[in-house]
Amino acid sequence: MAKLKDQNINQDALSKAAYSLFDFTKKEKSFLLIICILVSVAGIITPYTYAAMWFGFMLAAYSAIANDSIQTIGTFIASNQNRKWYFLWLFMGLIFVGTVTYSWFTYNGDVSYERLQVDGLDQAPQSFVFLQIAAPIVLLVMTRLRMPVSTTFLLLNVFTYKAGTILGVMQKSFIGYFLAFIMAIIVWYVLEKFVTNYLKGKPKNYWYFLQWITSGCLWAVWIMQDAANIAVFLPRQLNVWEFSAYTGFVFLGLGVLFYMKGDKIQGIVNEKTRVTDVRAATIVDLVYAIILFYFKAYSNMPMSTTWVFIGLLGGRELSIALAKSKKLKKRKARLVRAYRLAKNDLVKAGIGLIVSLILALIINEGVRKEIFDMIFNG
């Protein structure tokens, strides 16, 4: 009898999984058709290096910013839902243009703030394999599934020819996660009573001004960290025409993203506590910008800003749960919710990390050899 019951449970789980897959396919027919077209084009264009370079760049530019929008402009979109999308786009778009232009002039054609000058990433691709062009397509699918995947891991790892660089990026990213988690707990535990009492009624107009300033600063610092993820397909020094194409395409891609109000991935921000309030969004952006600026100054090694962001949101949710709930039963429920949100984000980001490592091992013979030597030869 128990065996039959277990079989029924397994069949139910299988039926639910099959139905979820069918439902997703039905709802996302147009998106899946686009993915099939992109995969086909990637397969055809891969042998033609120059065309593959620009095709891969365009895919990376849109997929990276669409996925990472939750970190930087996610709270900005969430707390400015009543404003015209093109005002938001022009504000963030012009900051992008100014930030990459400064890097291009200062670092002799390098738009990555020297993130692509580290050992293992300093050589531009001389040819491409299919999986390198397909990596941004994988990122598009994960973004559609609302997964906060690290674009740094998924896009940079497939071009890194040294395992030590991959380990360096992972180490810096994990340190960033724990630092953001702990800092968020401290900051929001201290501020929660003040925030609870102060975040009442309609925000004063100056809060919108402060939020636009902090969001703009955060966006600029994020570009300094993550422009490398987009530029990794391109030469390490761009001439004026290449720079114009790079900047213009990303600027227009931002317009599409703002028009769609962040698309599916925006739900990750909207489900968190009070981030649609402009005052709470301002504090999130300020703390995040400080952390990213610290790591930018720390070293030129790239890092996953996604892991920093989910650490920040996870610590914030936990801190709010601890500070807000006086009754034990209520506190337990809030802690369970905070744990669930943090775990879900971490698991999804972890899946992206595993995918990126598998791709790196398949694509790069040098990385495979280094890792196997480390495992088998100590």
Side-chain angles (χ1 to χ4, degrees), residues 15 113 179 233 235 370:
S15 299
Y113 282 80
L179 178 65
F233 284 85
E370 276 190 68

Side-chain angles (χ1 to χ4, degrees), residues 58-99:
M58 288 189 286
L59 288 176
Y62 183 77
S63 61
I65 292 175
N67 192 281
D68 283 352
S69 65
I70 59 164
Q71 309 170 20
T72 50
I73 53 182
T75 51
F76 184 68
I77 291 172
S79 57
N80 286 279
Q81 292 178 7
N82 297 326
R83 298 183 185 274
K84 299 291 185 184
W85 67 270
Y86 43 83
F87 290 135
L88 308 182
W89 166 46
L90 288 174
F91 178 70
M92 289 300 190
L94 291 174
I95 289 175
F96 170 80
V97 172
T99 305

Side-chain angles (χ1 to χ4, degrees), residues 76 99 268 278 343:
F76 184 68
T99 305
I268 293 173
V278 66
K343 184 194 76 174

Side-chain angles (χ1 to χ4, degrees), residues 78-304:
S79 57
N80 286 279
Q81 292 178 7
N82 297 326
R83 298 183 185 274
K84 299 291 185 184
W85 67 270
Y86 43 83
F87 290 135
L88 308 182
W89 166 46
L90 288 174
F91 178 70
M92 289 300 190
L94 291 174
I95 289 175
F96 170 80
V97 172
T99 305
V100 295
T101 301
Y102 177 83
S103 179
W104 186 67
F105 273 114
T106 305
Y107 301 110
N108 192 30
D110 177 18
V111 293
S112 73
Y113 282 80
E114 297 190 310
R115 294 296 180 270
L116 292 177
Q117 300 303 319
V118 298
D119 198 21
L121 288 168
D122 53 325
Q123 296 177 17
Q126 300 302 310
S127 61
F128 295 91
V129 299
F130 170 73
L131 287 176
Q132 288 174 320
I133 306 299
I137 302 175
V138 173
L139 183 57
L140 279 174
V141 174
M142 290 182 159
T143 301
R144 197 72 175 183
L145 294 170
R146 291 181 56 192
M147 297 179 72
V149 183
S150 168
T151 57
T152 301
F153 289 143
L154 197 55
L155 296 179
L156 291 191
N157 281 358
V158 297
F159 288 98
T160 306
Y161 58 87
K162 290 199 173 182
T165 305
I166 295 175
L167 294 175
V169 173
M170 288 173 60
Q171 182 183 39
K172 190 174 178 183
S173 301
F174 295 157
I175 291 171
Y177 175 86
F178 288 111
L179 178 65
F181 189 83
I182 293 166
M183 189 170 175
I185 290 174
I186 295 168
V187 169
W188 268 276
Y189 193 82
V190 171
L191 290 179
E192 183 53 33
K193 280 193 176 179
F194 168 76
V195 169
T196 303
N197 294 329
Y198 192 69
L199 297 187
K200 290 181 178 179
K202 191 176 177 182
K204 302 287 186 185
N205 288 334
Y206 64 82
W207 274 105
Y208 291 99
F209 173 76
L210 289 174
Q211 203 247 339
W212 280 55
I213 295 299
T214 54
S215 293
C217 291
L218 170 60
W219 175 234
V221 177
W222 179 86
I223 293 165
M224 295 172 194
Q225 287 280 8
D226 275 20
N229 303 346
I230 303 168
V232 70
F233 284 85
L234 303 177
R236 296 300 176 255
Q237 275 76 40
L238 304 181
N239 63 37
V240 66
W241 301 112
E242 291 167 339
F243 173 72
S244 300
Y246 168 86
T247 308
F249 183 81
V250 175
F251 181 78
L252 293 174
L254 281 170
V256 175
L257 189 66
F258 275 103
Y259 177 75
M260 296 192 300
K261 296 187 182 296
D263 205 13
K264 300 278 186 182
I265 199 79
Q266 183 66 23
I268 293 173
V269 172
N270 294 341
E271 72 184 1
K272 301 298 188 290
T273 306
R274 285 202 310 258
V275 290
T276 54
D277 188 297
V278 66
R279 295 160 292 198
T282 301
I283 299 172
V284 172
D285 287 354
L286 179 62
V287 175
Y288 188 32
I290 291 169
I291 294 171
L292 287 189
F293 187 78
Y294 167 76
F295 279 107
K296 178 197 171 294
Y298 181 74
S299 75
N300 284 338
M301 179 67 71
M303 70 177 296
S304 169

